[in-house]
Amino acid sequence: MIIRDRVEKLRQLMKENQMDAYIIPSFDAHQSEYVAEHWKSRQWISGFTGSAGTVVITLEDAGLWTDGRYYIQAEKQLDGSGIRLFRMMDPGVLFYTKWLADVLNEGSIVGFDGNVFSLDMVKKMEKDLKAKRIELKMNQDFIGDLWEDRPEIPKGSIFTHDVKYAGKSRVEKLNEVREEMKNIGANYYILTSLDDIAWLLNIRGADVPNNPVVIANVIVAEHKCYLFIDSSKVPSLVKAELEAEGIELKANHEIQTFLENITNEDAIILDSNKTNISLYHAINSNTKKIESPDITTNLKAIKNEVEIKNLKWCGIKDGLAMVKFIKWLKNGVDKEEITEITAEERLEDFRRGQEGFVGPSFDTIAGYKEHAAMMHYKANKETQYTLKNEGLFLIDSGGQYYDGTTDITRTIVLGKLTDEQKRDFTLVLKGFIALSSVKYLYGVTGSNLDVLARQPIWQYGLDYKCGTGHGVGFFLNVHEGPQSIRNNNHVTLEKGMIITNEPGIYLEGQYGIRIENMMLVVEDEKTAFGQFMKFEAITYCPIDLAGIQIDMLTESEKQWLNNYHQEVYTKLAPYLNEEESVWLREETREI
């Protein structure tokens, strides 16, 4: 088997270099969640294609650590590879650094490529391995040595993201960053996160599939900004525009020398969760280093009025594509052959028909029957199902538009359902409504709200092994921090933030159900007790009434759904033809 052969070749390299363990994470040199093909080292060594996971190879053993979204997928993809699955979220499962401390002998040597490990990751490793005096070798790119046909680092052109979409110029954004640098007491700031760089400089690219980012690094100084990038990626007009606004372009590799030449009197801000250990070690050792979350992350999380207006229009366009798709699917499922892949392709066609569409915002999850129980299922020609007029079809998808990024899931009823399927669909809907309709006091975080979406599902002894919601970028990454709705997120939800609401139920071997909207954080009333907040849905698409066991809903839940469906109809109907409008009226009827 190819994977076993690759692992054995890696072990041979480890032996030649007196190494006892080697670690391969999912990241690129910028700690990105989604990476270009060049950095898919973990996938290459293991065969596991999920977006999150770490492989550890020792001379006798091998393991993959991943989270609950990928358990089913990982079991299948690791089968026969000799790599064991460690279910990270299960009780009693050691994190890989603690596992290494457990299985390695005192004084062992652990190697990895320092370009793809953040400072925080290395600190944790040092802490967990300290007791056994295990040595770390951080400049070992063994995968680069073994991967003969490794794809090149992308060289696609960058383009300007117009201020009519972005709402703020790059000069305004740089001034905001510099103000914060002054407050923190630094005269340099290193920025390596790709979506933050794209946001700050109002540039976009196509270096990572589905993510309109560009491979680069940035250093902001008091009066200048340095963009470290492959010059072949920058068209002359964009270069002139950037330089006119105080942004100097330098070659990618020059960043090492630049960091070495920062003086002892300087102070530099860096995000220890994003800055890789190789860059950190390049900084002049006597320069003051201030570890702080990226300044840009909070700034870009709070959308400005122009972005919000654009996003709402984007939600209408995306809703139109979804409505046309669902109508086509329901009308065609028993009349023509529709597979998971043809359904996925047809939805993308409907999105392409919308103004300003650039591409999908992530790989579409189109799962029929038990395929939908895999949270991040990706249909392929060998295993895809043909849809029939029975059961549930889950489609989680999104679009990148010049005026926003979308993320929506609908579970579509294709025909007869069991009582259990209807019950579970309704439980997911109840959790979804509970979170959608909450009114809360300012200061609340995602960790405070997560239970609302889970409570109806927990009542039946069920759960879902992932977060309930995440931030979304603006014509950027579909997953964007710092806010999320999960039990360990303690970031205050601020006016102007975008968050998803996506509870679900996934029963292995049976079916999966998820309903997902994007929501905007807005202010509600202000009283003597403080400022109250609420969510406003900015996803406009019907929820399948055929899946609901209506007697399980309270009157207030029915009222919420009727109001939401009325808004969907009002927003979308003016842009539909008569046949589509009549169909949507029926799909959004009162219950």
Side-chain angles (χ1 to χ4, degrees), residues 10 55 112 164 191 215 237 381 453 467 540 585:
L10 176 58
V55 166
F112 54 85
K164 74 179 180 185
L191 183 60
I215 308 288
L237 281 174
K381 284 190 165 63
Y540 315 111
R585 178 75 278 176

Side-chain angles (χ1 to χ4, degrees), residues 451-506:
V451 67
L452 291 175
R454 293 181 193 271
Q455 184 59 21
I457 295 165
W458 283 353
Q459 291 295 319
Y460 284 77
L462 301 163
D463 190 29
Y464 48 95
K465 298 296 182 190
C466 60
T468 298
H470 56 83
V472 180
F474 183 87
F475 186 32
L476 272 175
N477 296 358
V478 75
H479 293 157
E480 178 177 279
Q483 76 279 17
S484 68
I485 296 177
R486 55 174 63 237
N487 62 11
N488 61 354
N489 185 282
H490 305 294
V491 174
T492 297
L493 292 167
E494 302 281 355
K495 176 187 172 185
M497 282 183 169
I498 303 291
I499 197 92
T500 64
N501 171 8
E502 47 183 308
I505 291 174
Y506 311 93

Side-chain angles (χ1 to χ4, degrees), residues 104-172:
L104 292 181
N105 295 326
E106 193 157 330
S108 292
I109 297 172
V110 173
F112 54 85
D113 177 6
N115 291 307
V116 294
F117 273 84
S118 71
L119 173 58
D120 277 354
M121 291 160 98
V122 173
K123 281 182 186 172
K124 176 164 177 52
M125 220 181 295
E126 287 173 338
K127 180 172 168 276
D128 290 346
L129 301 177
K130 188 179 178 184
K132 277 201 169 172
R133 295 203 298 277
I134 290 168
E135 184 188 340
L136 300 179
K137 285 200 171 176
M138 306 184 197
N139 58 346
Q140 312 288 320
D141 182 14
F142 286 169
I143 302 298
D145 296 335
L146 295 171
W147 191 353
E148 289 174 6
D149 55 349
R150 186 176 194 171
E152 284 193 352
I153 293 172
K155 289 186 180 294
S157 287
I158 68 170
F159 60 94
T160 297
H161 190 224
D162 200 297
V163 77
K164 74 179 180 185
Y165 303 123
K168 278 184 191 172
S169 70
R170 58 179 69 93
V171 171
E172 287 176 281

Side-chain angles (χ1 to χ4, degrees), residues 124 213 310 318 397 429 542 550 564:
K124 176 164 177 52
V213 296
N310 280 320
D318 210 59
S397 67
L429 176 61
I550 291 172
Y564 173 68

